Amino acid sequence: MHGGGAADAHATRAGARDRRLWPLAALLAAASAASLAAACLCGPLPIPPGQVLAHLGAALGLPPGPGLDPAHAVVVVDIRLSRACLAWLTGAALALAGTVFQGILHNPLADPFTIGVSTGAAFGASLALFFGLAALPVWAGVGLLPVAAMCGAFAALGAVVALGRVGGRLRRETVVLAGIVVATFLGALISLLKALDEESVASIVFWVMGSLQGRGWAHVGFALPYFLAGGLLVVARARQLDLLSLGDAQARALGLDADRARLALLLAASLLTGAAVSVSGVVGFVGLVAPHLVRQALGAEHRPLAVVSALAGGLLLLWSDVAARTVLPHGQELPVGVVTALLGGPFFCLVLRRRARGAGL
Amino acid sequence: MIRAEAVRCGYGRTQVLHGVSLDVAAGGVTGLLGPNGSGKTTLLLALAGILPLLGGRVAVAARGGEADMHALPARRRARLVACVPQRLDMAFALRCSTLVLMGRFAHGSPLAGPDAADRRAAREAMRATGVEHLWDRPADAVSGGELQRVLLARALAQQAPALLLDEPSASLDLAAAVRLFDLLRGLAGRGRAVLCAMHDLNLAALYCDALVFLKDGRVACAGPVKDVFHERTLSEIYGTDIRVGPHPVTGGPQAHFVPGAAGGGAGPGAGPGPGGGDPGPRGRDRGR
């Protein structure tokens, strides 16, 4: 067998991989910070870049320069920055959730919407809109809508887990099937609500397409605890995703309680998805594309994949949202879900084509 | 080290094992043999505590006493018994080092990543099986034989006193197979219990201390090599004419097959004929 001298060569090679991970993570983190500031430059109200930066600096506690317009401070910090932060957080949450769902379901084409959690959230929100209670204030400036969406997400998860549990076991195949059943059923109920009430159709449709219009710090505050809890859970259990991706028998042989790990990860991913959907509606493609691209760059190990995917997903949605609110003239907005789908669809096709050609297929 | 007592188990409504009892001794290599579909893989899964039992029990030596394998938490099981699967169904292409480091999962905190000691153990294990140079290679970019040795390294990194292997030499070339079994003998010499499912009667006779023959989910024959490696026994179990002669170097018994004899020497309830293919552990009509 091989001589012992190779050990050092190996340590360096193992290090080479880490050297690829951390610069990429640092680069994306820096790009995220810069993008948050850059996103505040864009908007229908023209504010000189210097002043925008001064306002941002003031918000961070730097001494405010002379001649700053307090009305501009509201626009820059309370409208643009809060929305950029929310977009970043939502994108990161969706990408993390996508990483988990792809890992659990052994399917690189799974996304946070595969198992019906998002349809549950959409149904909860649709109910709130249908009964005209969406704006009912329930929590520090946040209407009933996100709360209803969160409840819907967890009701859907509960239904999926209850349906997918066969003989006390939560199997991958049955979870997918249960997810499809629940998503289809709830999708039909949403259509029913739309058919029953002509008036709420427009708001339901707009919400389901996904938009960050009119969201602010209150929504960040509402969703942040879920994002943090879900994100920490996912990163902590990311290595268990590696084991689960080899199948239950192997995961158990290596010492993992596969059923419990899967349930915990499912719960964490649903927390992330539910919170994201409750503040932004259904935004597609981010949760699918981000982990997929990062996996090609970094490999399939789930811990680096989760961290870097989150950063990439945050960036992706942040810039999609900037596009959504600046592409149309006169302050009109596109739903951000439409932007991600318009950008993500062709881009994803390109990636798949290129990979197929690379594999000689 | 591991003792199965009247183990019955299967998949869904199909029972595969009908009361299998065997003893895997520490400090020895036990060969698990038998025709396709006789229940070898199923028995390994049952012994590892992965497959729930329909009856019987699997006892494993632990901390001076004895524990019921199926009642232990997964992490303790993995510290007692390490498995080398026949093949790997990978959803995503993980690196070889990641696979080997998985052997350390049961040792550290379940939420922490591998630490320096884990990396050292993984590296040593990969050196022992001669795949150290594959450390950073994606596991879908190595040959079948190399992957087999990576999986063996993973089991070594697990540092469990018992080792269960499912046809580890199936995709190895001859030299690699000989090296593998030399390695297994070395492990047994240092006190580990090794149970190895295999097809190659001659490798089994060369390297094993004891043999267990399964047929149709039951133990057809078990004992030390010299007691069970006889022409009649082998011919009956495999349903073909098998002759036994001495090894030119060691003098131990070796099996020789006779062309065109399959089906001729079968006992009652003849096994599957040649070319029947391996339906795997989920074969529908096994052991009814």
Side-chain angles (χ1 to χ4, degrees):
Chain A
M1 313 237 160
H2 284 259
D8 299 329
H10 238 310
T12 21
R13 264 203 298 280
R17 177 156 49 91
D18 293 340
R19 276 203 294 278
R20 200 167 355 137
L21 164 64
W22 291 116
L24 188 57
L27 184 76
L28 288 174
S32 297
S35 299
L36 283 176
C40 295
L41 298 172
C42 313
L45 184 69
I47 306 175
Q51 282 202 26
V52 169
L53 294 181
H55 281 298
L56 289 176
L60 288 174
L62 295 177
L68 284 183
D69 187 345
H72 283 177
V74 173
V75 170
V76 169
V77 176
D78 289 343
I79 296 180
R80 292 184 188 168
L81 183 62
S82 68
R83 183 167 169 170
C85 285
L86 191 64
W88 191 90
L89 285 170
T90 305
L94 289 173
L96 265 183
T99 308
V100 172
F101 283 119
Q102 290 179 7
I104 286 186
L105 303 178
H106 293 199
N107 187 346
L109 294 179
D111 76 355
F113 307 135
T114 310
I115 71 155
V117 173
S118 66
T119 318
F123 177 65
S126 301
L127 268 186
L129 291 166
F130 179 77
F131 289 112
L133 302 172
L136 198 72
V138 285
W139 186 85
V142 176
L144 181 67
L145 185 80
V147 180
M150 205 68 198
C151 293
F154 277 92
L157 176 69
V160 169
V161 169
L163 282 173
R165 206 177 263 276
V166 177
R169 277 253 145 100
L170 204 56
R171 286 190 183 280
R172 170 161 58 92
E173 300 82 357
T174 50
V175 166
V176 175
L177 285 177
I180 292 173
V181 168
V182 167
T184 310
F185 184 69
L186 290 177
L189 284 183
I190 294 175
S191 300
L192 184 67
L193 288 182
K194 285 195 280 194
L196 285 178
D197 183 9
E198 303 273 310
E199 269 174 49
S200 58
V201 168
S203 50
I204 290 179
V205 165
F206 191 74
W207 192 85
V208 165
M209 277 195 291
S211 170
L212 288 161
Q213 192 169 17
R215 312 297 199 277
W217 291 120
H219 292 88
V220 174
F222 171 80
L224 194 60
Y226 301 104
F227 287 158
L228 283 179
L232 285 177
L233 250 170
V234 169
V235 173
R237 285 188 181 263
R239 190 184 180 200
Q240 303 185 356
L241 268 176
D242 289 347
L243 285 119
L244 282 175
S245 77
L246 298 185
D248 277 24
Q250 291 226 23
R252 288 218 289 281
L254 291 163
L256 180 68
D257 185 340
D259 295 319
R260 236 181 76 190
R262 184 163 23 238
L263 189 61
L265 281 160
L266 215 51
L267 197 69
S270 300
L271 265 178
L272 291 166
T273 309
V277 174
S278 71
V279 292
S280 71
V282 180
V283 178
F285 268 105
V286 176
L288 172 64
V289 172
H292 203 87
L293 288 182
V294 175
R295 192 180 292 113
Q296 291 187 353
L298 273 186
E301 279 73 12
H302 282 91
R303 197 188 294 256
L305 181 62
V307 173
V308 177
S309 293
L311 291 168
L315 268 176
L316 194 61
L317 193 56
L318 174 54
W319 284 110
S320 299
D321 185 49
V322 170
R325 64 190 170 86
T326 52
V327 163
L328 295 184
H330 315 303
Q332 270 188 302
E333 289 207 12
L334 284 169
V336 69
V338 171
V339 176
T340 55
L342 281 178
L343 289 176
F347 181 65
F348 202 56
C349 284
L350 211 72
V351 169
L352 287 181
R353 290 287 302 258
R354 249 182 54 193
R355 198 171 65 152
R357 221 175 297 144
L361 296 173
Chain B
M1 181 63 218
I2 306 181
R3 203 175 65 245
E5 293 164 2
V7 162
R8 293 186 298 114
C9 66
Y11 308 92
R13 253 171 277 164
T14 313
Q15 193 174 330
V16 177
L17 299 180
H18 310 272
V20 170
S21 299
L22 69 90
D23 211 331
V24 184
V29 178
T30 306
L32 182 60
L33 295 117
N36 290 338
S38 57
K40 298 188 292 291
T41 300
T42 307
L43 179 58
L44 291 180
L45 289 176
L47 290 177
I50 297 170
L51 199 63
L53 301 184
L54 299 170
R57 80 190 274 262
V58 175
V60 57
R63 292 189 191 153
E66 218 180 53
D68 182 348
M69 195 66 184
H70 287 79
L72 288 176
R75 291 168 60 73
R76 268 201 71 201
R77 271 201 316 251
R79 289 198 294 264
L80 291 170
V81 177
C83 301
V84 179
Q86 201 172 345
R87 56 171 184 272
L88 198 60
D89 292 319
M90 257 189 314
F92 305 103
L94 299 165
R95 287 181 180 77
C96 292
S97 54
T98 308
L99 287 178
V100 177
L101 283 166
M102 283 180 182
R104 306 297 302 164
F105 178 76
H107 289 270
S109 143
L111 298 182
D115 61 14
D118 292 331
R119 288 179 185 282
R120 219 165 22 244
R123 227 169 12 235
E124 270 163 31
M126 287 177 84
R127 191 180 313 149
T129 63
V131 288
E132 209 188 0
H133 59 292
L134 301 178
W135 181 268
D136 231 3
R137 190 90 66 85
D140 63 350
V142 302
S143 75
E146 286 172 329
L147 185 60
Q148 197 85 64
R149 287 185 285 157
V150 168
L151 293 176
L152 179 64
R154 185 179 77 182
L156 295 184
Q158 218 165 319
Q159 293 174 343
L163 201 55
L164 308 179
L165 303 100
D166 197 356
E167 298 188 22
S169 57
S171 44
L172 296 184
D173 58 52
L174 292 174
V178 168
R179 274 203 297 265
L180 166 80
F181 280 99
D182 284 337
L183 178 72
L184 293 182
R185 278 248 58 101
L187 291 171
R190 272 169 271 142
R192 294 211 206 185
V194 178
L195 178 66
C196 185
M198 51 204 297
H199 265 302
D200 192 322
L201 282 172
N202 291 331
L203 274 174
L206 271 178
Y207 282 101
C208 295
D209 303 292
L211 299 178
V212 175
F213 288 96
L214 283 187
K215 187 166 185 182
D216 297 333
R218 290 185 176 81
V219 175
C221 176
V225 173
K226 63 175 172 19
D227 294 349
V228 296
F229 209 83
H230 298 309
E231 287 179 357
R232 256 201 74 163
T233 327
L234 296 180
S235 301
E236 227 164 77
I237 291 168
Y238 283 94
T240 181
D241 197 4
I242 294 174
R243 305 292 167 88
V244 173
H247 187 278
V249 178
T250 68
Q254 290 285 281
H256 303 287
F257 306 95
V258 181
D278 191 349
R282 287 174 198 273
R284 293 260 164 259
D285 50 2
R286 302 281 155 220
R288 279 265 168 85

